[in-house]
Amino acid sequence: MAEAATMQVSDEVAVTINNMNKWYGSFHVLRDINLTVNRGERIVICGPSGSGKSTLIRCINALEEHQKGSIEVDGTLLSSDLKNIDKIRSEVGMCFQHFNLFPHLTILENCTLAPIWVRKTPKKEAEEIAMHFLEKVKIPDQANKYPGQLSGGQQQRVAIARSLCMKPRIMLFDEPTSALDPEMIKEVLDTMIELAEEGMTMLCVTHEMGFARQVANRVIFMDEGQIVEQNEPEAFFNNPQSPRTQLFLSQILGH
Amino acid sequence: MAILSDPPEGPFRLSMLLSDTRYRSLTLQAITALVLALCLAYLYRNISTNLQAQGLSLGFSFLQDPSGYDINQRLVEYTSQSTHARAALVGILNTLLVAVLACITATIFGVIAGVLRLSNNWLVSKLMAFYVEIFRNIPVLIWIIIIFTIMTNVMPTPRAFRGDAATSSMLFDLFAFTNRGVYIPGPGFSNPFFASVGMNWLLVIAVLVGSFFGARAIGTWATKIQEATGDRPTTWYMILGVWLLPVAILLTVMGLTWDIPALKGFNFTGGIKIGGPLIALWFALSIYTGAFIAENVRAGIQAVSKGQTEAAGALGLRPGRIMNLVVLPQALRVIIPPLISQYLNITKNSSLAIAVGYADITATLGGITLNQTGRAIECVLLLMLFYLTASLLISAFMNVYNASIKLKER
Ligand SMILES: Nc1ncnc2c1ncn2[C@@H]1O[C@H](COP(=O)(O)OP(=O)(O)O)[C@@H](O)[C@H]1O
Ligand SMILES: [Mg+2]
C-alpha cells in the first residue's frame, strides 16, 4: 500500500473527457462522462457487467465513436479525422480480455508487426525492441512460438509486451485477467504492477480489488453508463458513499 | 497408439484378434481387403464371361479409326477424317477450356459478392444475398438452359448486321454479338519468330512467366529495403513496368495484328468465334458456383474474430493493412479447402455441356464415339479415368497451396 504513494503523478493532463455521451441506436450507453487523467495516474474502473466500462475505455482510442462531448488525449482532440485517430492510437496501448494475439504470427512477429508497419522501424531494430519487452514480461524464450502454444497468462503478457513495443504513453486494460485461470492471474498482475511503478499512465477495467488497493490512485465506480462515484482506494473501499457502490462492493467482496 | 502400460504377458488366444487393441485394427483391415478382392474378382469374371458369351472383347484399337463426325468448337485441328482419339482430345481440351474459364470467373464473382455481402451498405449487401440465394438454389442445368435459350432467342442473327437497313451493329466495329455466338478480334503475328502459331504464343507466355518472377523479385527487394530502413519503397509502377514492358516489346517485334471479324454472306468470318454453347455453359457455371464461393468467402472473413481487427486497429494499423496482414492470412485458410471442392464441382458439372451441344469430353468420347463404335465399357472407363485424373490434379495442386498458407501449430 505504500507503493501507491511513492509513485509520481504529474500535473500534466493525459486524458480529458468532457460531457461525453454515447448511444447504440436508441440505447444510451454512456451518459455525461467527465474524467480527467493526469500523466502517471493509475485509474481502476469497476462496476456491474453491462455498465459501460469497456465502452468508455474503447472510446478513448476510437475503437468506438462517441456522439456527444469531447475526448482529448495528449492534447489531440479525438475527431473523425483519420490523422488524429492515428496519432492517438500510436500513443495509447490496449490489452483485451481475450488477448487477441495474431494466431498466424509468432510471438516475435506479433510484437514487431505494428512497429514495422506503423512506426516504420527497421526490422532488426523492431526485433531488438520486441526482445527487450519480452524479457520485461519474462518470456523471451517463447519468442519463436505461436500464440496457441502458450498458456493464457503467457499470452496476456505477450499482449502487454506487444502494446509496449509501440512505446505508448497511456495503457488501457479491459479486464485483462478475467479470462485467466486463477493461478495465472498473479503473473499478469505483477507485470501490470511493474508497469505502474515505472510511471505508466493506466486506465484499467478490473475487479481485482487487491490490485486496485496496491496501485490505483483513484477507483471509479460506473453503473448504467454513468460515473457514480470516484475516490482514492482506501476511502472508496472503506467508506463508499452511494448505496449502489455499497451494494456492488458487498457483492464482489462477498459479505 | 499410446501404450498405456506393459501388457500382461499371456498366451496368444484367437479371440484376441478382435478383442485386443494391438491386433484389432490389423484384423479388421485384413477382412476389408479380403472382401474387396472378392468383389473385384467377381466383377472381373462377370464382365469377361458376359463379353465372351456375346463374342466381344475389350480393346482400344477403335480409337485409331476415323471418327466421321464434325465438331464445331475446337482448339486444335480436327476434321471428320480425324481419329476418335483426336475427337477425344478435342473434347478434353474443350472440357479443360470451359473448366478453367469458369473457375477464374466464378472466383472473381464469388470474391466480389462475398466481400460486398459484408458491406455496410444495406442495398448492396441485400442484393448480394439475393444473388447468392437465387443462384445456388436452382440447379445449374436449368441455368445453363435458361442462358442458352435467352442467347439464341434474344441475340440478333448474323443476317441482322447486313445491308443498309441493318437492325444490329458491331460493338466498336470489333465485336459482334449474335445468336450463334460472339465474334471477337483474333490476334496474329505479321513477323513471327516460329512457323507454328502455338510456339509464338508459348514464347509470349514464357515472357509473362518471367515477368511474374521479376515482379516477385521486386517485392522481395522492397521487403529487404523495408527491413533495413523501415521505409517500404513505392513499387507499383516498377511492377506495372515489369509486367507490361517486356510483353509489349515482344508483341511489337513479332508484329501483332488483329484479325477483325467481318460479315461475309450470311455469317461472320475472321477473328475468333466463341460459340453460344460455350458462353452459356461458362456463364452458368460461373454465376452458379460463384454463389457458393461467395458464401465461402463470407464465412472465411467472418471466421476471423472482430477482436483481431480491433487489436490491430488499437496498435495503429490502417484498415487496408489490417486486411492484408491480419484478416486475409487467417481467412484464406478457411476459404481454400471449400474452394477446392468448388473447382472440382465446376470440372465435373462441365459435363452438362451435352445439354447445349458443347463438344466436351462427355459429348465426344462419351457420346458420339460411344454410340458409333458401341465400345461402351472402354469409353466409360476412359471418361472416368479422365475426370478422376483431372480432379486429383486440381486437388493436389490446391492442397499444396493450402499447406503453404496453413496456420502453423495451434
Ligand atoms: N456493439 C454494441 N451494440 C449494441 N449494444 C452494445 C454493443 N456493445 C455493448 N453494448 C451494450 O452496451 C452496454 C455496455 O456494454 P459494455 O461497455 O461492454 O459493458 P461492461 O464492459 O461494463 O460490461 C451493455 O448493455 C451492452 O449490451
Ligand atoms: Mg466489458
Side-chain angles (χ1 to χ4, degrees), chain A residues 58 86 101 104 123 149, chain B residues 227 308 310 318 325 409:
Chain A
R58 289 158 60 87
D86 283 348
L101 295 179
H104 61 299
K123 187 175 176 196
Q149 298 169 294
Chain B
E227 284 176 2
Q308 293 286 310
E310 286 178 349
R318 282 281 183 89
L325 298 171
E409 315 227 24

Side-chain angles (χ1 to χ4, degrees), chain B residues 52-187:
Chain B
Q52 251 169 18
Q54 297 182 28
L56 296 173
S57 66
L58 284 184
F60 292 93
S61 55
F62 71 95
L63 286 174
Q64 301 312 322
D65 301 339
S67 65
Y69 60 90
D70 277 316
I71 300 177
N72 252 333
Q73 176 86 40
R74 54 181 184 257
L75 291 173
V76 287
E77 292 294 318
Y78 174 87
T79 65
S80 56
Q81 304 305 312
S82 306
T83 61
H84 282 298
R86 188 84 180 165
L89 175 69
V90 173
I92 287 175
L93 290 178
N94 279 346
T95 293
L96 293 180
L97 173 70
V98 74
V100 169
L101 288 176
C103 282
I104 293 171
T105 40
T107 309
I108 295 172
F109 288 172
V111 169
I112 291 175
V115 170
L116 287 187
R117 198 170 171 187
L118 292 173
S119 139
N120 290 326
N121 184 324
W122 184 87
L123 186 65
V124 168
S125 83
K126 284 290 170 285
L127 263 177
M128 291 305 136
F130 181 75
Y131 158 70
V132 167
E133 295 309 333
I134 285 287
F135 280 93
R136 70 178 182 154
N137 287 314
I138 293 177
V140 63
L141 177 59
I142 296 186
W143 284 118
I144 295 173
I145 294 172
I146 290 177
I147 293 170
F148 187 64
T149 313
I150 292 176
M151 276 193 58
T152 44
N153 288 312
V154 174
M155 297 287 207
T157 59
R159 195 187 312 213
F161 291 79
R162 207 153 53 106
D164 296 332
T167 50
S168 298
S169 60
M170 290 173 69
L171 185 65
F172 309 128
D173 278 337
L174 295 175
F175 305 95
F177 295 89
T178 77
N179 63 351
R180 296 188 191 179
V182 176
Y183 297 82
I184 63 171

Side-chain angles (χ1 to χ4, degrees), chain A residues 24 27 29 47-56 64 174-175 205, chain B residues 306:
Chain A
Y24 280 122
F27 176 52
V29 214
S49 173
S51 54
K53 309 178 295 291
S54 299
T55 312
L56 171 60
E64 303 283 353
D174 191 358
E175 307 206 28
V205 176
Chain B
K306 205 154 171 271

Side-chain angles (χ1 to χ4, degrees), chain B residues 333-390:
Chain B
R333 42 169 244 270
V334 182
I335 296 174
I336 299 289
L339 200 59
I340 300 175
S341 60
Q342 292 309 332
Y343 287 172
L344 296 182
N345 280 344
I346 287 183
T347 312
K348 290 176 291 174
N349 285 342
S350 70
S351 61
L352 293 169
I354 207 159
V356 284
Y358 176 69
D360 76 330
I361 180 76
T362 309
T364 57
L365 181 68
I368 309 176
T369 295
L370 188 152
N371 284 326
Q372 285 187 359
T373 62
R375 295 286 183 171
I377 295 179
E378 292 92 335
C379 287
V380 170
L381 273 179
L382 286 175
L383 214 53
M384 282 163 49
L385 191 68
F386 165 71
Y387 281 112
L388 190 64
T389 313

Side-chain angles (χ1 to χ4, degrees), chain B residues 3-10 16 20-23:
Chain B
I3 291 168
L4 305 174
S5 61
D6 279 347
E9 291 295 334
M16 281 166 70
D20 192 310
T21 49
R22 280 173 297 172
Y23 310 118

